[in-house]
Structure formats: structure tokens, C-alpha cells
Amino acid sequence: MKVNPKDLETRLKERFQQPLPGIDSQMEMAPSVRDRDIIVPDNARLSAVLMLLYPHEGKWYVPFMRRAEDGRVHGGQVSFPGGQKEASDPDFTYTALREAQEELGIPPEMVQVIGPMSTMYIPPSNFLIYPKLGIAASRPDFVLDPKEVQEVIEVDITELMDEGIKGMHKVDVFGGYIIQAPGYTVNEQHLIWGGTAMMIAELVAILKEVVN
């Protein structure tokens, strides 16, 4: 998809002057156990993730990461880089950029932040996520934190927008609790489901408007 970084940045910034697709797009990839009007508790843990777009060899990509198998509720799952907001973080943009640097080695200075996507509450871990959409002029030199990340998964946005990668899957929510959930199978092998898939659905809705 040959759109140069400056053109895509301009298109995205123009799109962000309008309302986001929000819950309507997110619910397309929501597990059946997920309510549309979910109540976020007062004690939700605040966090942020970075959705980064970057060009490489004539295509546009988004990096995901497979989390380390650490026994936690999201261990081994595929997600955007991100994590909990620290008391010293001035805002959620800072959190998203800091976490992306810590986990994947993405320098904050190479990211032009376009704006905020719709928030996402994750009940199993009690995280309220503030996603940030960013764009880079080139592919980062990824440096993974082995304590948190097993691998980086680079996905062509053309693939993300392909309806053929969507499907229903049996997934282990945590501790052997199995549910049926919609998900994306990217690069023919990696399943992305749950809150990350819901965030992808909103990103895809925007990309289909600005790059098609």
C-alpha cells in the first residue's frame, strides 16, 4: 500500500477531526461474554498502548508483541506494546511511548502521535487502556525486553483489513476457562483476540477510510 508517511499522517490527522468509530466497531470483535455497556470500576488500573504504523519495503505495518509466558492473565497473548501508567508519567501518551520503548525498543522521538483511540476496559486484568495511534517514517530497529516479550509480530495493514483473517476460536481466558471468541489470525499463525482484537477493529475501520 504505497502511501508515503507524510500523506498518511495528513489523512489520519484529518480523520481524527471527526468522531471515532468507537464501540460500534469494537463490538464486532468482542467475545460473547462481553457486554456492550460495560461498567468500568473505580479501581481500574490505568494503562496505555501504542498502535504504530510504519512503512517498510513498500508496505505499511503494525507491530504487535507476544507476551512472555509469565503466569499472568495475559501471558503468552499477542498485544500492542503497552502497560500500566506510572505515577511519574505526565499523561497516557507518555505511558504508551515509554512502554513501547521498554518492551520493543521503539525510540519515542521517531513516533508522531496522531491522537487517542477509544478506551478499552479489560475485565480479567482490570485494566482501562488508553490506546494511542502513532506513525513513524521508517521501520524501528526492534530491541525486545526478554523478560516481557517473546517476539515481535509485524503485520501488513493490508492483511489486517482482509476479512478472511477473521474467525471464531476456542480460547483459554485464564486457568482453563474456555470460551468462543472472534479473533484475527495474522501471518497465518498468530491469533489475536479479546481487547486487542477489539482495538484492531477500530483501527481497521479508520484505515479503510483513509487508505482505500
Side-chain angles (χ1 to χ4, degrees):
M1 196 158 292
K2 295 184 178 180
V3 183
N4 72 54
K6 210 63 196 171
D7 284 348
L8 184 56
E9 180 182 332
T10 299
R11 294 182 194 181
L12 287 168
K13 285 182 175 179
E14 290 175 352
R15 175 59 185 81
F16 268 66
Q17 300 304 307
Q18 307 167 41
L20 293 169
I23 190 67
D24 288 338
S25 59
Q26 292 175 342
M27 288 303 294
E28 292 179 11
M29 297 302 290
S32 58
V33 296
R34 173 102 184 189
D35 292 330
R36 180 184 177 90
D37 299 316
I38 197 164
I39 296 173
V40 179
D42 293 337
N43 68 343
R45 297 188 290 170
L46 305 180
S47 63
V49 301
L50 179 65
M51 300 174 165
L52 181 67
L53 305 173
Y54 61 87
H56 182 58
E57 297 181 347
K59 299 179 180 180
W60 281 92
Y61 288 86
V62 179
F64 298 90
M65 63 183 221
R66 180 176 296 282
R67 295 193 171 276
E69 296 280 5
D70 55 7
R72 298 181 182 179
V73 66
H74 298 301
Q77 294 182 5
V78 179
S79 69
F80 292 106
Q84 190 163 354
K85 185 176 185 291
E86 296 181 356
S88 58
D89 292 350
D91 52 39
F92 290 106
T93 296
Y94 185 94
T95 302
L97 294 174
R98 174 181 57 74
E99 287 284 344
Q101 182 176 36
E102 292 175 0
E103 294 175 333
L104 297 184
I106 301 172
E109 60 271 17
M110 80 177 297
V111 181
Q112 173 64 45
V113 176
I114 302 299
M117 302 286 282
S118 300
T119 56
M120 170 62 53
Y121 177 61
I122 312 294
S125 54
N126 194 32
F127 272 118
L128 178 60
I129 300 174
Y130 287 77
K132 300 294 179 178
L133 179 62
I135 189 171
S138 61
R139 179 182 183 271
D141 292 323
F142 295 108
V143 180
L144 311 188
D145 178 356
K147 293 179 294 185
E148 296 195 65
V149 184
Q150 291 188 61
E151 62 179 313
V152 62
I153 300 167
E154 302 174 78
V155 183
D156 178 356
I157 66 170
T158 302
E159 180 180 354
L160 274 186
M161 293 189 287
D162 181 358
E163 292 291 313
I165 70 170
K166 295 162 65 174
M168 293 296 295
H169 304 266
K170 287 184 178 180
V171 295
D172 186 343
V173 176
F174 189 59
Y177 177 52
I178 307 297
I179 64 170
Q180 285 275 352
Y184 298 92
T185 302
V186 300
N187 296 352
E188 299 183 349
Q189 59 179 316
H190 301 290
L191 175 63
I192 307 178
W193 65 281
T196 301
M198 294 174 69
M199 287 186 273
I200 290 172
E202 182 175 42
L203 175 62
V204 166
I206 290 175
L207 290 175
K208 286 183 175 180
E209 291 184 35
V210 301
V211 300
N212 282 356

